[in-house]
Amino acid sequence: MRETVLDAAQKLVQERGLNGVSFQDIADKVGLKKPSLFHHFRSKDALAHALMERCRTSYGARYAQVLSQEGLSEPDRLKKIARLFEEGLKSQHLCLLGALSNDSGAFSDELKADLSKTASGSIEGYAVLFEAGRDSGTLEFEGTPEEAASSFLAMLQGLQLLARAKGDCDVLYPAALSYIDSISVKK
């Protein structure tokens, strides 16, 4: 039941943000009484922590697999990451990190630290790829690999929001591809 609750909560958070979702909304979605949810999550902070942990282990593993995939150039791996964001958009699963970040001003210090940890982990993974691309001569960009990785993540999150606002999922990948091509070194 915990996974069912997390599935419902994640979908609602990705649609409305954490502050736009109540325990009653989640209970209604899964067919439980609201007090039953407190058996699984004592507070919204606990729910958000669980969502981020699940994101790090499930989605993080998918991204890590692409980032470490041998036989693909760094630009091709960036393109695969962009495809994962496009798939998320098309299946109504916006980047959870981005969805939660919208409400971070109202978070407890502990929850803000967890959100920061999740963001840093994503950026670190992408930074390794950007650094490898610079070292191999397949990527050319200004600034540090961490700055390039931060820009890349922010661009993908922003493109998800833009595509959703436009009601056109097909806007994400071509825009991401344009950016990736602009930093790719043609050999």
Side-chain angles (χ1 to χ4, degrees):
M1 180 52 80
R2 180 181 166 89
E3 287 302 310
T4 302
V5 171
L6 282 171
D7 287 343
Q10 180 175 327
K11 183 167 178 44
L12 289 168
V13 167
Q14 288 167 321
E15 290 172 0
R16 306 180 195 167
L18 186 63
N19 289 336
V21 176
S22 69
F23 270 71
Q24 188 63 57
D25 294 329
I26 299 166
D28 291 346
K29 191 94 167 159
V30 297
L32 291 175
K33 294 192 184 286
K34 182 178 162 183
S36 298
L37 292 180
F38 293 104
H39 170 74
H40 300 286
F41 305 102
R42 67 186 184 286
S43 66
K44 245 189 189 180
D45 272 15
L47 174 66
H49 284 296
L51 287 171
M52 281 188 276
E53 179 58 33
R54 189 166 88 150
C55 179
R56 284 190 296 267
T57 56
S58 62
Y59 291 106
R62 290 181 72 195
Y63 295 118
Q65 182 180 16
V66 171
L67 292 172
S68 64
Q69 192 170 1
E70 293 188 25
L72 281 182
S73 69
E74 291 80 15
D76 286 340
R77 285 187 264 169
L78 290 175
K79 291 173 187 175
K80 286 190 117 181
I81 295 292
R83 282 285 188 206
L84 291 176
F85 272 77
E86 179 187 50
E87 288 172 20
L89 175 67
K90 287 183 175 181
S91 65
Q92 300 297 315
H93 291 97
L94 294 184
C95 176
L96 187 61
L97 178 63
L100 288 169
S101 295
N102 288 334
D103 297 326
S104 64
F107 287 178
S108 67
D109 288 344
E110 185 181 335
L111 189 53
K112 285 178 186 176
D114 197 15
L115 187 65
S116 178
K117 173 185 168 185
T118 302
S120 294
S122 295
I123 291 166
E124 288 168 14
Y126 296 151
V128 169
L129 182 60
F130 275 92
E131 185 170 17
R134 179 179 271 169
D135 291 347
S136 71
T138 61
L139 295 175
E140 190 173 272
F141 53 89
E142 297 293 322
T144 67
E146 291 77 16
E147 292 165 344
S150 295
S151 296
F152 182 66
L153 177 58
M155 177 200 59
L156 291 172
Q157 290 174 330
L159 284 171
Q160 280 190 328
L161 294 175
L162 177 65
R164 185 165 78 170
K166 289 182 74 174
D168 183 4
C169 293
D170 294 328
V171 74
L172 187 148
Y173 188 74
L177 186 60
S178 176
Y179 168 74
I180 295 165
D181 285 345
S182 76
I183 63 169
S184 298
V185 177
K186 310 295 185 236
K187 291 188 175 187

